[in-house]
Amino acid sequence: MRNPDYTRNIALCLRYEGTAYHGWQVQKDQATVCGTLQNAIRGVVGHPVSVTGCGRTDAGVHARLYVANFRTSSAIPADRLPYALNTHLPLDIVVTAACDVPEEFNAIGSCRRKEYTYCIYNSRLRDPFYINRAWLYPKPLNEQIMQQAALAYQGTHDFAALRSVGTNVRSTVRTVYDCQVWREAERVYFRVSANGFLYNMVRAMVGTAVYASEGKLSAREIGALLERGDRCAAGPTAPPGGLYMTRLWYTGEVERFGEGFRAAVGGFDGA
């Protein structure tokens, strides 16, 4: 039950390297991003808080951008909160912006679109700087074929074939707005934005695009695979370390929020 004395609703933008955490969501016996952030906020504002995040990133997944909100009775100015919180946070979590937001703002409920980017390090030799931050894939990948697979994901589809059994959802239908694959030297990037994602959906999309590159299925088969809902015919779930949350879109009202918050989020309806 919400404490009526907590009259302020604060939105935070943050970044984190997720290797050390068992995902975002608080768990009783595991270190999580949310649990770590809640402890830091409590140390600053002087009372327990419940933090709402924009999505449940899995264990080992990273965020170049993440939005969360919490309610408080503290009078600390919002523009001072990032500095205060970062002194209480480990080095792999950083709050980049904070602002007061309307009572109705909810980090996940107000979010209209999300983007993830997956990084594959496509080389026979590993790079120590990409350990836990990319999928080391030693076989040659054809990014043009992977792009053909990516285009097959675009549109509104039932993505039951590209998810792992985990959380219960009302519907497995999602709309993918854009999906692109490109190469930068040894790095192959897979970027996708949608109105929502199923459990492990992006990682399964990546694994299936890799299957297409290897000739284990054709890009033309992906539409039929989605229609059948056949998880066994799709590619593997790519490892978590290559996945990053990279952009979020919120309702137009967010444009009125603090400049630091707007600059950090970078996406609104119609963008």
Side-chain angles (χ1 to χ4, degrees):
M1 186 174 180
R2 186 178 303 168
N3 189 322
D5 295 329
Y6 295 175
T7 55
R8 295 176 70 196
N9 189 13
I10 304 290
L12 301 175
C13 290
L14 55 145
R15 298 161 63 95
Y16 56 84
E17 204 278 358
T19 303
Y21 302 98
H22 204 73
W24 164 264
Q25 197 71 8
V26 172
Q27 298 190 34
K28 184 177 180 181
D29 300 315
Q30 301 281 356
T32 67
V33 180
C34 184
T36 304
L37 180 62
Q38 286 186 165
N39 288 338
I41 296 172
R42 179 175 183 170
V44 170
V45 302
H47 61 76
V49 298
S50 178
V51 175
T52 298
C54 61
R56 294 187 176 188
T57 56
D58 298 331
V61 173
H62 319 294
R64 293 191 179 277
L65 168 66
Y66 194 93
V67 171
N69 73 289
F70 69 96
R71 288 173 172 79
T72 182
S73 59
S74 170
I76 298 173
D79 61 355
R80 301 305 305 168
L81 280 172
Y83 303 99
L85 290 173
N86 289 334
T87 63
H88 287 71
L89 286 168
L91 297 178
D92 50 11
I93 303 174
V94 177
V95 175
T96 59
C99 68
D100 286 271
V101 290
E103 169 68 20
E104 64 272 15
F105 178 84
N106 179 283
I108 189 168
S110 301
C111 188
R112 296 293 175 258
R113 177 174 170 181
K114 301 175 185 176
E115 176 191 271
Y116 284 92
T117 303
Y118 195 94
C119 180
I120 302 173
Y121 192 75
N122 189 206
S123 172
R124 294 179 63 186
L125 296 174
R126 68 181 180 272
D127 184 326
F129 293 101
Y130 286 95
I131 301 301
N132 296 320
R133 296 179 182 177
W135 180 11
L136 175 63
Y137 201 83
K139 299 178 184 178
L141 289 173
N142 185 318
E143 63 272 19
Q144 286 80 25
I145 293 177
M146 293 179 67
Q147 175 61 36
Q148 293 172 16
L151 292 176
Y153 298 136
Q154 292 183 173
T156 301
H157 306 284
D158 187 332
F159 283 95
L162 296 175
R163 69 157 180 169
S164 299
V165 176
T167 56
N168 293 323
V169 292
R170 294 179 181 177
S171 172
T172 52
V173 174
R174 297 291 186 272
T175 298
V176 170
Y177 300 111
D178 188 52
C179 195
Q180 302 293 328
V181 177
W182 72 96
R183 177 183 288 274
E184 296 178 7
E186 294 91 355
R187 300 178 303 279
V188 175
Y189 291 98
F190 180 104
R191 178 170 290 169
V192 57
S193 65
N195 62 353
F197 294 94
L198 303 170
Y199 182 51
N200 285 345
M201 176 175 155
V202 178
R203 291 160 58 192
M205 293 169 81
V206 172
T208 302
V210 167
Y211 256 25
S213 173
E214 293 183 340
K216 295 180 178 179
L217 56 80
S218 72
R220 294 189 301 273
E221 294 178 83
I222 290 178
L225 182 153
L226 294 176
E227 289 182 6
R228 295 196 308 272
D230 187 357
R231 181 68 186 92
C232 294
T237 301
L243 185 60
Y244 299 75
M245 181 176 282
T246 48
R247 194 176 180 191
L248 299 164
W249 283 257
Y250 280 87
T251 58
E253 292 181 356
V254 178
E255 293 182 328
R256 301 200 307 269
F257 296 175
E259 181 178 349
F261 185 89
R262 295 198 310 271
V265 174
F268 305 101
D269 284 355

